[in-house]
Amino acid sequence: RFGELVSGLKALGQILQAVLIGAVLSYVLNPVMVFFERHLQKAFRKRMTDEKRIRKISRSIATAGAVLVFLGIIAALLCMIIPQLIISVEHLTSTLPGQMQNLMDRMQAFSRGDTPLAAVVREIITNGTAYLQNWIQNAFLNQAQDLMSYITSGVVGVVKTIFNFIVGIIISIYI
Protein backbone atom coordinates (compact mmCIF):
# COMPACT_ATOMS: atom_id res chain seq x y z
CA ARG A 1 0.00 0.00 0.00
CA PHE A 2 2.89 2.35 0.66
CA GLY A 3 4.05 1.99 -2.95
CA GLU A 4 0.57 2.90 -4.18
CA LEU A 5 0.56 5.96 -1.93
CA VAL A 6 3.93 7.08 -3.25
CA SER A 7 2.89 6.57 -6.88
CA GLY A 8 -0.34 8.48 -6.19
CA LEU A 9 1.60 11.38 -4.67
CA LYS A 10 3.96 11.41 -7.66
CA ALA A 11 1.00 11.57 -10.04
CA LEU A 12 -0.56 14.36 -8.00
CA GLY A 13 2.74 16.24 -8.03
CA GLN A 14 2.96 15.97 -11.80
CA ILE A 15 -0.60 17.21 -12.15
CA LEU A 16 -0.06 20.15 -9.81
CA GLN A 17 3.38 21.05 -11.17
CA ALA A 18 2.01 23.65 -13.59
CA VAL A 19 -0.20 25.18 -10.89
CA LEU A 20 2.71 25.37 -8.45
CA ILE A 21 4.95 26.95 -11.09
CA GLY A 22 2.21 29.48 -11.81
CA ALA A 23 1.75 30.29 -8.12
CA VAL A 24 5.48 30.78 -7.59
CA LEU A 25 5.81 32.92 -10.71
CA SER A 26 2.88 35.11 -9.74
CA TYR A 27 4.40 35.56 -6.26
CA VAL A 28 7.81 36.46 -7.71
CA LEU A 29 6.45 38.69 -10.47
CA ASN A 30 3.95 40.53 -8.26
CA PRO A 31 6.39 43.30 -7.16
CA VAL A 32 7.35 43.97 -10.78
CA MET A 33 3.70 44.03 -11.80
CA VAL A 34 2.78 46.40 -8.95
CA PHE A 35 5.63 48.72 -9.95
CA PHE A 36 4.44 48.83 -13.57
CA GLU A 37 0.81 49.18 -12.51
CA ARG A 38 1.51 52.12 -10.22
CA HIS A 39 3.41 54.03 -12.91
CA LEU A 40 0.88 53.19 -15.61
CA GLN A 41 -2.02 54.39 -13.45
CA LYS A 42 -0.26 57.73 -12.97
CA ALA A 43 0.21 58.07 -16.71
CA PHE A 44 -3.37 57.04 -17.52
CA ARG A 45 -4.92 59.38 -14.95
CA LYS A 46 -3.54 62.31 -16.94
CA ARG A 47 -5.44 61.16 -20.03
CA MET A 48 -8.51 59.28 -18.73
CA THR A 49 -11.16 59.89 -16.09
CA ASP A 50 -12.82 56.50 -15.64
CA GLU A 51 -10.99 54.99 -12.61
CA LYS A 52 -12.27 51.45 -13.19
CA ARG A 53 -11.02 51.45 -16.77
CA ILE A 54 -7.67 52.90 -15.68
CA ARG A 55 -7.18 50.08 -13.16
CA LYS A 56 -8.23 47.43 -15.66
CA ILE A 57 -5.98 48.64 -18.48
CA SER A 58 -2.99 49.33 -16.23
CA ARG A 59 -3.32 45.88 -14.58
CA SER A 60 -3.40 44.15 -17.98
CA ILE A 61 -0.43 46.03 -19.34
CA ALA A 62 1.52 45.66 -16.07
CA THR A 63 0.92 41.90 -16.03
CA ALA A 64 2.09 41.57 -19.62
CA GLY A 65 5.11 43.75 -18.81
CA ALA A 66 6.05 41.64 -15.78
CA VAL A 67 5.82 38.44 -17.83
CA LEU A 68 7.91 40.04 -20.58
CA VAL A 69 10.53 41.10 -18.02
CA PHE A 70 10.64 37.54 -16.69
CA LEU A 71 10.95 36.05 -20.19
CA GLY A 72 13.64 38.61 -20.98
CA ILE A 73 15.64 37.56 -17.92
CA ILE A 74 15.30 33.89 -18.92
CA ALA A 75 16.38 34.72 -22.50
CA ALA A 76 19.36 36.74 -21.24
CA LEU A 77 20.45 33.88 -18.99
CA LEU A 78 20.15 31.40 -21.85
CA CYS A 79 22.12 33.76 -24.11
CA MET A 80 24.91 33.79 -21.52
CA ILE A 81 24.90 30.06 -20.73
CA ILE A 82 24.48 28.46 -24.17
CA PRO A 83 27.53 30.08 -25.87
CA GLN A 84 29.75 29.12 -22.94
CA LEU A 85 28.41 25.57 -23.05
CA ILE A 86 29.08 25.36 -26.80
CA ILE A 87 32.62 26.69 -26.34
CA SER A 88 33.28 24.16 -23.57
CA VAL A 89 32.00 21.22 -25.61
CA GLU A 90 33.95 22.33 -28.69
CA HIS A 91 37.11 22.69 -26.60
CA LEU A 92 36.57 19.27 -25.04
CA THR A 93 35.97 17.58 -28.39
CA SER A 94 39.00 19.22 -29.96
CA THR A 95 41.42 18.49 -27.12
CA LEU A 96 40.19 15.09 -25.91
CA PRO A 97 41.71 13.00 -28.74
CA GLY A 98 45.09 14.65 -28.23
CA GLN A 99 44.91 14.14 -24.48
CA MET A 100 43.96 10.48 -24.92
CA GLN A 101 46.81 9.98 -27.38
CA ASN A 102 49.20 11.71 -24.95
CA LEU A 103 48.04 9.38 -22.16
CA MET A 104 48.46 6.30 -24.35
CA ASP A 105 51.95 7.45 -25.44
CA ARG A 106 53.00 7.95 -21.83
CA MET A 107 51.62 4.58 -20.77
CA GLN A 108 53.33 2.83 -23.70
CA ALA A 109 56.61 4.59 -22.97
CA PHE A 110 56.33 3.61 -19.33
CA SER A 111 55.41 0.01 -20.13
CA ARG A 112 58.46 -0.44 -22.45
CA GLY A 113 60.77 -0.44 -19.48
CA ASP A 114 62.04 -3.63 -17.84
CA THR A 115 61.02 -2.72 -14.31
CA PRO A 116 58.49 -4.81 -12.39
CA LEU A 117 56.17 -1.79 -12.35
CA ALA A 118 56.24 -1.67 -16.17
CA ALA A 119 55.15 -5.32 -16.28
CA VAL A 120 52.25 -4.51 -13.98
CA VAL A 121 51.25 -1.57 -16.21
CA ARG A 122 51.39 -3.82 -19.30
CA GLU A 123 49.17 -6.38 -17.56
CA ILE A 124 46.70 -3.68 -16.48
CA ILE A 125 46.53 -2.33 -20.04
CA THR A 126 46.02 -5.81 -21.49
CA ASN A 127 43.38 -6.81 -18.93
CA GLY A 128 41.66 -3.42 -19.12
CA THR A 129 41.45 -3.56 -22.90
CA ALA A 130 40.07 -7.10 -22.83
CA TYR A 131 37.53 -6.16 -20.15
CA LEU A 132 36.43 -3.07 -22.09
CA GLN A 133 35.99 -5.05 -25.31
CA ASN A 134 34.04 -7.74 -23.48
CA TRP A 135 31.84 -5.14 -21.79
CA ILE A 136 31.10 -3.38 -25.09
CA GLN A 137 30.28 -6.65 -26.88
CA ASN A 138 28.20 -8.24 -24.15
CA ALA A 139 26.83 -5.74 -21.64
CA PHE A 140 26.66 -2.45 -23.50
CA LEU A 141 25.06 -3.71 -26.70
CA ASN A 142 22.56 -5.77 -24.72
CA GLN A 143 21.65 -2.73 -22.64
CA ALA A 144 21.38 -0.34 -25.61
CA GLN A 145 17.61 -0.73 -25.67
CA ASP A 146 17.39 0.16 -21.98
CA LEU A 147 19.70 3.10 -22.59
CA MET A 148 17.51 4.38 -25.43
CA SER A 149 14.46 3.96 -23.20
CA TYR A 150 16.10 6.07 -20.48
CA ILE A 151 17.11 8.74 -22.99
CA THR A 152 13.61 8.83 -24.49
CA SER A 153 11.94 9.10 -21.10
CA GLY A 154 14.37 11.87 -20.16
CA VAL A 155 13.54 13.84 -23.29
CA VAL A 156 9.81 13.33 -22.69
CA GLY A 157 10.29 14.52 -19.10
CA VAL A 158 12.07 17.67 -20.26
CA VAL A 159 9.33 18.40 -22.81
CA LYS A 160 6.64 17.87 -20.14
CA THR A 161 8.47 20.23 -17.79
CA ILE A 162 8.76 22.90 -20.48
CA PHE A 163 5.04 22.50 -21.23
CA ASN A 164 4.21 22.76 -17.51
CA PHE A 165 6.39 25.86 -17.30
CA ILE A 166 4.51 27.49 -20.18
CA VAL A 167 1.18 26.56 -18.59
CA GLY A 168 2.56 27.91 -15.29
CA ILE A 169 3.27 31.26 -16.93
CA ILE A 170 -0.31 31.36 -18.19
CA ILE A 171 -1.63 30.41 -14.74
CA SER A 172 0.52 33.12 -13.14
CA ILE A 173 -1.20 35.68 -15.34
CA TYR A 174 -4.59 34.65 -14.00
CA ILE A 175 -3.62 34.45 -10.33
Side-chain angles (χ1 to χ4, degrees):
R1 290 203 177 253
F2 183 71
E4 293 173 2
L5 177 66
V6 169
S7 64
L9 289 175
K10 283 183 182 179
L12 183 64
Q14 290 175 348
I15 292 169
L16 293 178
Q17 183 180 20
V19 175
L20 291 174
I21 290 171
V24 169
L25 281 178
S26 66
Y27 178 75
V28 170
L29 293 178
N30 190 47
V32 177
M33 193 264 318
V34 168
F35 172 80
F36 285 150
E37 185 178 24
R38 186 175 53 236
H39 290 299
L40 286 170
Q41 283 179 356
K42 286 180 186 176
F44 287 143
R45 281 195 183 105
K46 294 177 185 175
R47 297 186 178 121
M48 301 168 82
T49 57
D50 186 12
E51 190 64 31
K52 185 176 180 183
R53 188 167 181 217
I54 291 172
R55 281 195 309 254
K56 196 178 220 180
I57 292 173
S58 63
R59 173 63 62 116
S60 299
I61 295 172
T63 302
V67 170
L68 288 175
V69 166
F70 174 72
L71 292 176
I73 291 171
I74 296 295
L77 288 173
L78 288 176
C79 286
M80 287 188 281
I81 292 172
I82 290 175
Q84 285 298 327
L85 184 64
I86 290 171
I87 290 169
S88 297
V89 169
E90 286 176 347
H91 180 70
L92 181 66
T93 56
S94 67
T95 60
L96 188 61
Q99 291 174 351
M100 290 300 293
Q101 186 61 42
N102 187 17
L103 175 67
M104 293 303 292
D105 291 344
R106 285 184 183 197
M107 290 183 79
Q108 285 177 355
F110 185 73
S111 67
R112 286 188 203 129
D114 292 333
T115 64
L117 187 57
V120 170
V121 169
R122 277 193 298 272
E123 184 178 339
I124 289 173
I125 291 173
T126 304
N127 292 341
T129 304
Y131 176 78
L132 185 62
Q133 286 175 345
N134 183 34
W135 178 77
I136 289 173
Q137 290 172 348
N138 296 327
F140 180 72
L141 293 179
N142 291 336
Q143 295 175 356
Q145 185 176 3
D146 292 339
L147 182 64
M148 289 306 294
S149 172
Y150 295 143
I151 290 171
T152 303
S153 66
V155 169
V156 168
V158 167
V159 170
K160 283 182 180 179
T161 302
I162 290 172
F163 178 75
N164 283 339
F165 191 75
I166 291 169
V167 171
I169 290 173
I170 294 169
I171 290 172
S172 74
I173 292 171
Y174 286 103
I175 290 183

